[in-house]
Amino acid sequence: ACFVAAVKRVLDGGKPNPGSISLLITGDEEGPAVNGTKAILEWLTEQGEQIDACVVGEPTNPESIGDAIKIGRRGSISGTIYVTGIQGHAAYPHLADNPARGIVALTEALLKQPFDEGTADFQPTNLEVTSIDIGNSAFNVIPNKASARFNIRFNDTWTADSLKVEIERRLNEAANDPKLRPALGSGPRSPVEYTLKYEMRPSHVFLTQDEQLIASLSSAIQTVTNRRPDLSTGGGTSDARFIKDACPVVEFGLVGQTMHQIDERVAVADLDVLTDIYQ
């Protein structure tokens, strides 16, 4: 809405504009991301269109409009771990193999040690386990399967490929560590039997270093708010992960204190300020 209002103001002002501007509004940035920005960029390439610069309207400000511009993003990888066990009665554990023990050991191995301490431009790499699922409604039945989902945001210490190697090293080490999965009954416990599936298309880390674009946006923010924004690479990912391959891209938008919460909201007054900056 702020983009549209700002463009209308510029057009109503009657000043000649030698260039062109396009607004791309997509609804699948949080999902598979196949029919939005990615598809449009492919179409633009086929048409021979060249974009000079792009501003993504993500909520970039922690507290107030003018706090921060995003000039890069950490990469992102998501995956699911599946552990297979043997179903049985909770009173006869020696006849079963509880996958809950295995999934706890594997997720603990991913969470236990930091991946790095961060770099000059990026926060530390961070992994979060976002769900552990067994789906067992009975108290006295040992289940036969368990799974866990995780997401990791990584900095330029890693590539997607090198990080996958480290993730699998940790999982394999934990799967074969008898201390993390004690034997039940008599005899040694076999390694945790698991499989790992990554989601398609990881997001890659990037950093925008186009001084003209960064300076232009910073100047507009300072003119409207009398504040000099920080240059940040924190937070999640966005469609900038695709746009970076087509042109220099920065992100600037509203205050993001309630993202992904019930009653997600922004101050109405911030819409006016943001429109002034975009204009």
Side-chain angles (χ1 to χ4, degrees):
C2 296
F3 276 153
V4 172
V7 171
K8 183 178 187 302
R9 289 183 189 176
V10 172
L11 294 176
D12 289 347
K15 295 180 180 179
N17 189 336
S20 60
I21 185 168
S22 296
L23 304 182
L24 175 59
I25 303 171
T26 175
D28 71 345
E29 176 264 333
E30 295 285 357
V34 292
N35 297 316
T37 298
K38 188 171 181 289
I40 291 297
L41 290 171
E42 292 169 354
W43 180 83
L44 288 171
T45 300
E46 293 170 1
Q47 303 303 309
E49 290 281 353
Q50 176 62 49
I51 308 171
D52 295 313
C54 178
V55 176
V56 173
E58 284 282 334
T60 57
N61 296 286
E63 302 289 341
S64 303
I65 297 285
D67 280 347
I69 298 170
K70 302 283 187 184
I71 60 168
R73 292 283 192 169
R74 291 179 297 174
S76 177
I77 296 174
S78 296
T80 306
I81 308 164
Y82 301 92
V83 173
T84 303
I86 299 174
Q87 191 175 32
H89 197 296
Y92 301 93
H94 60 288
L95 299 177
D97 183 3
N98 194 339
R101 292 176 177 269
I103 204 71
V104 169
L106 296 182
T107 54
E108 172 67 14
L110 292 181
L111 293 168
K112 192 171 184 180
Q113 296 294 330
F115 285 83
D116 55 64
E117 297 181 355
T119 67
D121 296 307
F122 291 94
Q123 295 173 307
T125 297
N126 182 65
L127 184 145
E128 293 293 337
V129 174
T130 54
S131 71
I132 296 178
D133 300 296
I134 294 177
N136 180 18
S137 59
F139 285 98
N140 63 342
V141 176
I142 294 172
N144 68 344
K145 60 184 178 180
S147 64
R149 304 174 77 180
F150 66 88
N151 176 260
I152 185 165
R153 303 301 169 108
F154 62 95
N155 59 39
D156 52 356
T157 302
W158 307 89
T159 65
D161 289 337
S162 68
L163 193 55
K164 287 179 180 180
V165 170
E166 172 63 13
I167 289 170
E168 289 159 28
R169 183 195 69 77
R170 294 186 179 201
L171 291 176
N172 288 332
E173 186 176 279
N176 289 281
D177 187 347
K179 291 182 295 184
L180 293 178
R181 191 164 179 262
L184 295 175
S186 60
R189 174 62 65 189
S190 61
V192 176
E193 185 178 332
Y194 80 93
T195 57
L196 172 61
K197 179 183 178 182
Y198 293 108
E199 296 299 305
M200 293 179 61
R201 296 195 309 272
S203 300
H204 299 286
V205 60
F206 75 94
L207 184 67
T208 297
Q209 296 177 318
D210 188 290
E211 295 299 330
Q212 183 178 4
L213 175 58
I214 295 170
S216 177
L217 180 56
S218 296
S219 176
I221 293 168
Q222 191 165 20
T223 298
V224 173
T225 67
N226 200 31
R227 305 173 65 201
R228 191 74 179 173
D230 292 331
L231 304 182
S232 170
T233 59
T237 189
S238 72
D239 274 358
R241 68 190 189 272
F242 304 126
I243 299 166
K244 67 173 174 53
D245 296 326
C247 68
V249 57
V250 293
E251 303 179 50
F252 184 75
L254 292 164
V255 175
Q257 292 190 330
T258 59
M259 288 184 287
H260 290 339
Q261 295 181 16
I262 294 173
D263 296 331
E264 186 174 4
R265 61 196 179 277
V266 297
V268 174
D270 285 352
L271 299 175
D272 292 323
V273 176
L274 185 62
T275 303
D276 290 341
I277 292 169
Y278 285 157
Q279 181 186 358

